[in-house]
Amino acid sequence: MTREDKEKGLWRSIFPINFKTYNTYHSEGHTGQYYMLPPAHIQKLFPYGLPPRFQLQIKTFNEGCVMVRPPALELISYLKRADYSKPPLRYVLYGDIGTGKTMSLCHALHYCYTQGWLIVHIPDAHLWVKNCKELLPSSSRPSRFDQPIQASQWLKNFKITNERFLSKVQLDRYVWTKRESTEKGQPLGELIDQGVNRMKSSSDVVGAVLRELRLQAGGATEGEGAFKLAVAVDGVNALWGKTSLKKEDRTMCEPEELTLIHNLRKMMKNNWSGGAILTALSQTGSVFKPRSAYLPNELLGEEGFDSMEPFVPVSVSNYNEKEFESCYLYYLDRNWLQHPHSRSEEGKKELIFLCNKNPSILERLCAAL
Amino acid sequence: MAAYISHPALSSLCKINCNINGIYSLISFSRRISISSVLSTSAVTTESEAAGRGVRGQRRSKRQAGEPRTERMTVDQDWTAVYPTAASFKPSTVPLPVRMGYPVKRGVPPAKKGNLELIKIPNFLHLTPVAIKKHCEALKQFCTEWPSALDSDEKCMKHFPIQVQSKEFVSAGLSLQNPDARIVTLKVKLSSLNLDDHARKKMIKLGEERYCKDTDTLTITTDSCPLRQQNYDYAMYLLTVLYHESWKTEAWEQEKTRADMEEYEWEDSPSQKNVLDTLLRMRPLGAKDEVEELLGQPAVQEYRDTMLRLKNEGETEENLHKYKEAVKKLFNI
């Protein structure tokens, strides 16, 4: 179904979802056009993954439409061409605030999902380094700290996203306490259930899950049990920055001392094979970073940069003319712009001036109109 | 009449003495002697009789001041003749309508005639450009020629790389000296000194904020001694000491860590290790590649160049873009 805007002569199309659409409809010529994410996928894949304002927009418009933009296209093309017998490539999306890094990340992740990969998605790593209500000393290692609430929540989301894989992945033996242990050969689903039920050891369960996936991704045998792993972390600079958490003796907690962060850092290394690591930097939630910092070196810091490289940096910038037009027409089409002046040429120029074609600012402006 | 004739010298003496301040006793003396005879005849002396009667009287004959010299000055006169040396401000010799002072009762600043403020301040009327030119001309006979071989700045810098600067202060006040005249600044370009790599880095570290990276200049400023000569000697001494110390290598310099390094070096860095690890993991099993071979690949060299640029020059969009290209080539995307 396509709707033409006869005055402007620009296309704004909504495509029905089809697994083949990624190949046919996601080429260079389709930048600026809107791609509809099927509701079933959104529910499964992104229980908490999408930016909060976009979730509101989905509710309002009753559909989730993502604009096809060059950064996402670039990522998808890399993913298509990469060789999965080699160590995973790390992609870092960077850009100024509000330019669409998280959206591009989600878009690329959706592509992975449609290709049948196993998704490990951490929607915002910053949530794990600040505002944690409970910080328990780790059950397995004395010097580390657990975050049971965050860990169990993540496990729940993981379960929803990757239901198909839960019975397929087989595990090693893990001992949790004197009485509980997971035997060798049990499926992943059981491990996750245990982690959700037993909050105390949930962070360790997360660690175990990640380790298993790492070892088994891109597995040696084809067919049953072989899967590709997509690790997507938003706000990856939280892993190497500072935390705002305090230990019991009122000293600051280092990210290294948190079990979740420690395990995630291990995941970021490229000593496994059969997948890809997609990350996005984020200044918005970061702790103790200046607002103007957006380049990888500034946000990741020395340590982070050394750990992440060699990576492929992908730049995300504000809308260009065509994309802005497309977004504007989409809002018009959805009757989102109620103010009569916004439909005129002058109103459009005002909008351009006010938001400087920054996606998030444009969205907030239009919400008020 | 006879009395008048008999005292012509005295009367003229009296007239002259009237114009000179301070010669009071002579006037009074001459007055006592000849007052009776002179009074009746001369018109000038009639005036003084009315003016100064008593013993405490003022100048006897207050002569009219003639027209000031400024009236007779031409525009193209020789000013060096008017003020050849440092002198106080004389309103009758300076032909400028200068006003100075506090305007009383919303008026204007007082005029120059009889203006004490103008006399109090130091003036440089004796140092006009013409006067200075004359001084230079006079001094030329004592000077030697500028060496003809040093006709360009580069040659001067090449043969005389050390530049010493100090300030002279001209003061026409109470004291001729200015304490700031003792400060000596010594500037030298490190490229003109004979330093090897280690010595250069050490010198820059020793110099701390005295070294300017953009112009490659080491600036030593000394003001701790009271005399300029002493400060100059001290600055030269400092330079010598810095030079010799930077050539020496101490035992504890072996402990220099990566954090101390001035520039980012790719060899032995975590970046190099990461790349090596990745490449080793990427190569097909069974193929044994030497580390040097791996590092010598052009893609790796390009990666190394971009990393050096990123770390040393700072991060910009352009540098990042080049880094991206290098990484893509490395992994054959």
Side-chain angles (χ1 to χ4, degrees):
Chain A
M1 297 179 293
T2 59
R3 276 172 243 181
E4 249 177 303
D5 192 339
K6 292 204 173 83
E7 287 168 51
K8 311 280 179 186
L10 285 172
W11 285 88
R12 189 201 125 245
S13 341
I14 302 184
F15 306 102
I17 182 64
N18 189 335
F19 283 116
K20 297 202 193 82
T21 51
Y22 261 107
N23 287 325
T24 32
Y25 290 116
H26 275 74
S27 58
E28 292 297 314
H30 290 94
T31 52
Q33 291 180 347
Y34 271 84
Y35 171 68
M36 188 174 87
L37 299 170
H41 282 199
I42 299 179
Q43 249 183 348
K44 274 208 140 179
L45 179 56
F46 296 126
Y48 288 98
L50 294 168
R53 286 198 77 94
F54 187 67
Q55 279 175 346
L56 286 173
Q57 195 182 323
I58 294 179
K59 240 196 263 177
T60 324
F61 292 170
N62 254 340
E63 63 178 15
C65 275
V66 169
M67 199 198 293
V68 176
R69 288 183 76 195
L73 278 179
E74 218 185 307
L75 258 188
I76 294 175
S77 70
Y78 291 152
L79 290 170
K80 279 188 205 166
R81 288 185 287 178
D83 184 355
Y84 291 108
S85 57
K86 298 204 179 140
L89 279 171
R90 285 172 284 209
Y91 307 97
V92 176
L93 284 163
Y94 71 95
D96 219 347
I97 299 182
T99 45
K101 301 181 283 292
T102 314
M103 289 302 295
S104 303
L105 186 69
C106 295
H107 193 169
L109 206 58
H110 182 256
Y111 165 77
C112 298
Y113 184 73
T114 53
Q115 303 292 310
W117 294 27
L118 200 151
I119 310 280
V120 171
H121 182 45
I122 289 104
D124 196 355
H126 289 301
L127 295 173
W128 288 3
V129 296
K130 54 180 185 174
N131 300 336
C132 289
K133 296 265 166 37
E134 276 182 31
L135 202 65
L136 301 175
S138 166
S139 43
S140 52
R141 255 160 268 242
S143 62
R144 296 230 205 103
F145 290 93
D146 274 355
Q147 286 147 303
I149 309 177
Q150 275 83 16
S152 55
Q153 197 171 46
W154 184 79
L155 282 172
K156 278 186 214 144
N157 293 336
F158 182 76
K159 196 164 137 186
I160 299 172
T161 315
N162 297 303
E163 264 189 68
R164 326 174 238 171
F165 290 102
L166 290 178
S167 46
K168 288 188 193 159
V169 182
Q170 310 290 331
L171 299 172
D172 259 342
R173 190 173 195 278
Y174 286 100
V175 178
W176 305 117
T177 60
K178 286 191 199 125
R179 272 169 273 163
E180 291 157 16
S181 62
T182 316
E183 296 302 323
K184 195 169 170 131
Q186 286 199 339
L188 192 61
E190 274 215 29
L191 184 61
I192 297 186
D193 285 328
Q194 206 213 335
V196 173
N197 294 334
R198 289 236 170 273
M199 295 268 271
K200 216 173 149 200
S201 52
S202 47
S203 315
D204 290 323
V205 168
V206 171
V209 163
L210 291 176
R211 183 168 163 270
E212 282 303 314
L213 293 173
R214 253 207 323 269
L215 291 173
Q216 296 193 15
T221 57
E222 284 296 325
E224 199 64 37
F227 57 88
K228 289 198 209 132
L229 184 58
V231 181
V233 184
D234 201 349
V236 72
N237 44 319
L239 297 180
W240 291 281
K242 293 193 195 155
T243 66
S244 69
L245 303 171
K246 289 199 183 144
K247 295 187 270 201
E248 272 172 9
D249 52 355
R250 303 265 197 94
T251 53
M252 291 302 263
C253 203
E254 294 295 314
E256 190 53 39
E257 292 176 2
L258 296 169
T259 328
L260 287 175
I261 305 291
H262 180 82
N263 290 323
L264 203 54
R265 276 197 201 179
K266 278 197 262 182
M267 206 63 184
M268 290 286 120
K269 289 194 212 162
N270 58 354
N271 46 6
W272 44 283
S273 67
I277 303 179
L278 312 162
T279 64
L281 299 173
S282 169
Q283 193 278 332
T284 342
S286 67
V287 188
F288 304 126
K289 284 283 176 195
R291 200 194 176 281
S292 57
Y294 75 96
L295 293 166
N297 212 0
E298 291 166 349
L299 283 176
L300 283 172
E302 281 276 353
E303 210 192 321
F305 196 86
D306 287 334
S307 320
M308 281 297 281
E309 64 148 351
F311 62 86
V312 181
V314 180
S315 157
V316 184
S317 56
N318 287 335
Y319 285 151
N320 61 16
E321 296 286 337
K322 194 171 160 204
E323 290 168 350
F324 179 82
E325 285 284 332
S326 172
C327 187
Y328 176 72
L329 288 171
Y330 177 65
Y331 285 143
L332 273 184
D333 188 70
R334 292 265 117 216
N335 289 326
W336 190 231
L337 297 170
Q338 291 289 320
H339 199 283
H341 189 58
S342 59
R343 291 168 193 264
S344 62
E345 196 46 53
E346 265 187 45
K348 200 165 106 182
K349 281 192 194 147
E350 266 186 44
L351 276 177
I352 296 182
F353 177 73
L354 280 172
C355 70
N356 196 23
K357 301 198 203 100
N358 184 296
S360 81
I361 297 184
L362 175 65
E363 199 260 312
R364 273 167 223 260
L365 276 178
C366 295
L369 288 173
Chain B
M1 285 304 250
Y4 178 63
I5 294 163
S6 65
H7 300 286
L10 262 179
S11 63
S12 57
L13 187 64
C14 173
K15 273 186 215 161
I16 293 166
N17 288 342
C18 280
N19 284 335
I20 301 171
N21 293 330
I23 308 181
Y24 179 77
S25 51
L26 198 55
I27 294 169
S28 54
F29 169 68
S30 59
R31 200 174 357 125
R32 273 195 215 105
I33 294 173
S34 58
I35 193 166
S36 53
S37 53
V38 178
L39 273 179
S40 49
T41 45
S42 164
V44 178
T45 45
T46 322
E47 230 183 82
S48 73
E49 178 208 70
R53 269 288 175 196
V55 181
R56 261 177 296 139
Q58 318 310 307
R59 288 159 269 176
R60 270 262 265 165
S61 38
K62 189 170 178 187
R63 212 162 63 138
Q64 281 274 10
E67 60 164 13
R69 188 174 158 187
T70 52
E71 306 292 322
R72 272 179 277 136
M73 279 181 175
T74 57
V75 178
D76 53 353
Q77 68 168 339
D78 182 21
W79 183 252
T80 53
V82 182
Y83 265 85
T85 49
S88 58
F89 183 87
K90 295 188 193 67
S92 54
T93 39
V94 177
L96 303 166
V98 184
R99 286 180 176 272
M100 180 154 168
Y102 183 75
V104 187
K105 274 193 190 166
R106 313 291 312 160
V108 292
K112 64 176 176 176
K113 190 163 173 205
N115 194 332
L116 195 60
E117 303 291 322
L118 280 167
I119 300 175
K120 280 196 290 192
I121 56 169
N123 65 64
F124 292 97
L125 293 161
H126 56 291
L127 289 178
T128 51
V130 185
I132 296 190
K133 254 202 197 108
K134 279 194 179 171
H135 296 166
C136 289
E137 289 297 327
L139 287 173
K140 263 202 175 116
Q141 53 177 308
F142 303 109
C143 296
T144 54
E145 288 273 333
W146 181 259
S148 53
L150 290 177
D151 48 2
S152 71
D153 270 342
E154 290 86 21
K155 282 192 194 161
C156 291
M157 283 301 291
K158 191 175 121 197
H159 294 285
F160 301 98
I162 303 179
Q163 283 182 312
V164 179
Q165 285 169 347
S166 59
K167 289 188 196 169
E168 302 259 9
F169 292 86
V170 179
S171 174
L174 287 170
S175 161
L176 289 175
Q177 280 125 11
N178 191 319
D180 286 340
R182 75 188 193 285
I183 302 176
V184 171
T185 312
L186 193 143
K187 285 194 178 142
V188 66
K189 277 208 160 114
L190 285 191
S191 46
S192 52
L193 295 174
N194 180 20
L195 295 167
D196 73 349
D197 192 43
H198 158 263
R200 193 193 147 82
K201 284 194 181 146
K202 188 165 173 183
M203 192 133 177
I204 293 174
K205 265 211 158 63
L206 286 171
E208 290 163 15
E209 74 265 4
R210 291 178 191 80
Y211 177 71
C212 170
K213 212 164 130 188
D214 298 325
T215 56
D216 189 34
T217 326
L218 183 71
T219 311
I220 301 176
T221 312
T222 40
D223 62 351
S224 32
C225 307
L227 295 184
R228 190 190 294 147
Q229 174 65 32
Q230 295 168 342
N231 279 320
Y232 171 74
D233 289 336
Y234 181 46
M236 292 303 287
Y237 163 74
L238 281 180
L239 183 63
T240 323
V241 163
L242 270 177
Y243 180 76
H244 288 296
E245 283 299 316
S246 56
W247 269 101
K248 289 188 215 161
T249 312
E250 303 280 341
W252 43 260
E253 281 183 39
Q254 305 299 327
E255 296 160 23
K256 195 174 179 188
T257 58
R258 273 192 84 81
D260 293 324
M261 297 283 181
E262 292 84 8
E263 279 186 336
Y264 181 80
E265 282 175 3
W266 197 66
E267 286 71 28
D268 277 341
S269 72
S271 163
Q272 193 196 28
K273 284 188 212 116
N274 284 343
V275 169
L276 262 182
D277 278 337
T278 322
L279 284 175
L280 285 170
R281 254 177 264 138
M282 266 169 48
R283 61 180 167 74
L285 291 163
K288 294 279 173 206
D289 285 325
E290 290 294 333
V291 170
E292 284 84 19
E293 245 185 76
L294 275 179
L295 285 178
Q297 285 169 17
V300 178
Q301 288 298 315
E302 202 186 315
Y303 182 78
R304 173 180 170 273
D305 287 332
T306 47
M307 269 308 283
L308 281 174
R309 214 173 308 148
L310 254 184
K311 292 277 184 174
N312 283 335
E313 284 171 28
E315 217 179 2
T316 57
E317 288 281 339
E318 210 189 294
N319 282 348
L320 267 181
H321 200 67
K322 291 204 180 97
Y323 176 75
K324 190 161 115 178
E325 299 298 316
V327 172
K328 273 169 41 178
K329 269 196 210 144
L330 197 61
F331 296 121
N332 294 324
I333 305 176

